[in-house]
């Protein structure tokens, strides 16, 4: 395709005649419209840019279509389902948790009671805000039904490991509910 604007692709002499100029301008308009439609159609082939065809992606992955939700949320649900295909392994859960939270993760398996949990890792012990409901929904979708996923809240050991003081509470006004929703990110060993 030419990189020249449509007007420069045709010799000027054709634009001197009113009938020919009118035809060329109509063709330019239709060409621009068609190019826009092609671009829009190409966008539908990718979850990240799909708009009017997003419902087809949702149907393909068995997601209930709810057009009242924001496109970003609907796209995230499709991406979650796409990455959850296949056999679930501890490594898969770890990688998905890392992708969702931005923290390194470790899967802790307790075979005695068929449960597992996630531990988040960072450069040092610290508290982090992690969307628990999003992580729980992702894991519940992909984990085998016989396993139990546990998200444990902060423990006193966690509070002590981050050297939390009353000064922290004065510097970071927070409700008890907000505090309990935080996770301890453990220093990598």
């Amino acid at each position: 395709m030419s990189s020249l604007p449509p007007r420069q692709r045709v010799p000027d002499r054709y634009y001197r005649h009113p009938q020919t100029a009118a035809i060329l301008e109509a063709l330019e308009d239709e060409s621009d419209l068609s190019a826009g439609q092609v671009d829009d159609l190409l966008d539908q082939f990718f979850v990240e840019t799909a708009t009017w065809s997003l419902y087809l992606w949702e149907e393909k992955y068995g997601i209930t279509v709810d057009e009242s939700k924001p496109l970003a949320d609907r796209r995230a649900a499709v991406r979650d389902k796409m990455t959850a295909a296949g056999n679930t392994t501890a490594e898969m859960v770890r990688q998905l948790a890392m992708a969702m939270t931005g923290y390194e993760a470790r899967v802790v398996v307790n075979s005695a009671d068929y449960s597992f949990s996630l531990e988040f890792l960072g450069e040092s012990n610290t508290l982090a805000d992690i969307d628990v409901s999003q992580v729980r929904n992702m894991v519940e979708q992909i984990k085998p039904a016989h396993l139990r996923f546990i998200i444990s809240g902060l423990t006193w050991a966690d509070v002590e490991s981050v050297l939390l003081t009353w000064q922290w509470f004065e510097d970071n006004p927070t409700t008890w509910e907000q505090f309990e929703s935080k996770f301890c990110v453990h220093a990598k060993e």
Side-chain angles (χ1 to χ4, degrees), residues 34-46 49-50 52-53:
S34 294
Q37 290 172 336
V38 168
D39 289 342
D40 183 48
L41 180 63
L42 289 174
D43 285 346
Q44 306 316 307
F45 287 99
F46 304 94
T49 53
W52 53 264
S53 71

Side-chain angles (χ1 to χ4, degrees), residues 37-183:
Q37 290 172 336
V38 168
D39 289 342
D40 183 48
L41 180 63
L42 289 174
D43 285 346
Q44 306 316 307
F45 287 99
F46 304 94
V47 173
E48 291 304 316
T49 53
T51 52
W52 53 264
S53 71
L54 194 54
Y55 79 95
L56 295 169
W57 288 93
E58 291 168 320
E59 288 175 357
K60 176 179 175 145
Y61 287 98
I63 300 169
T64 304
V65 177
D66 183 357
E67 294 186 358
S68 67
K69 290 183 178 178
L71 286 175
D73 292 350
R74 294 172 62 199
R75 288 176 180 142
V78 172
R79 275 192 317 273
D80 289 348
K81 282 285 193 170
M82 289 172 76
T83 55
N87 292 334
T88 302
T89 63
E91 179 61 18
M92 176 191 280
V93 171
R94 185 186 76 77
Q95 288 181 359
L96 286 172
M98 285 173 49
M100 292 177 72
T101 65
Y103 291 100
E104 269 193 55
R106 175 178 21 210
V107 176
V108 179
V109 178
N110 184 358
S111 55
D113 69 350
Y114 298 100
S115 68
F116 68 98
S117 62
L118 285 171
E119 204 173 83
F120 296 99
L121 308 172
E123 295 304 315
S124 62
N125 289 351
T126 187
L127 296 180
D129 292 313
I130 295 174
D131 187 348
V132 177
S133 62
Q134 187 181 15
V135 172
R136 179 178 295 286
N137 289 340
M138 179 273 302
V139 173
E140 290 296 332
Q141 286 180 12
I142 66 172
K143 75 171 185 62
H146 70 284
L147 294 179
R148 188 168 50 111
F149 176 57
I150 300 170
I151 295 181
S152 55
L154 285 174
T155 65
W156 281 115
D158 294 335
V159 171
E160 289 174 356
S161 74
V162 297
L163 306 174
L164 201 59
T165 64
W166 288 112
Q167 185 64 46
W168 183 90
F169 285 98
E170 290 177 14
D171 295 342
N172 302 287
T174 184
T175 66
W176 188 251
E177 183 180 359
Q178 291 168 330
F179 177 70
E180 284 187 324
S181 71
K182 293 190 178 295
F183 274 84

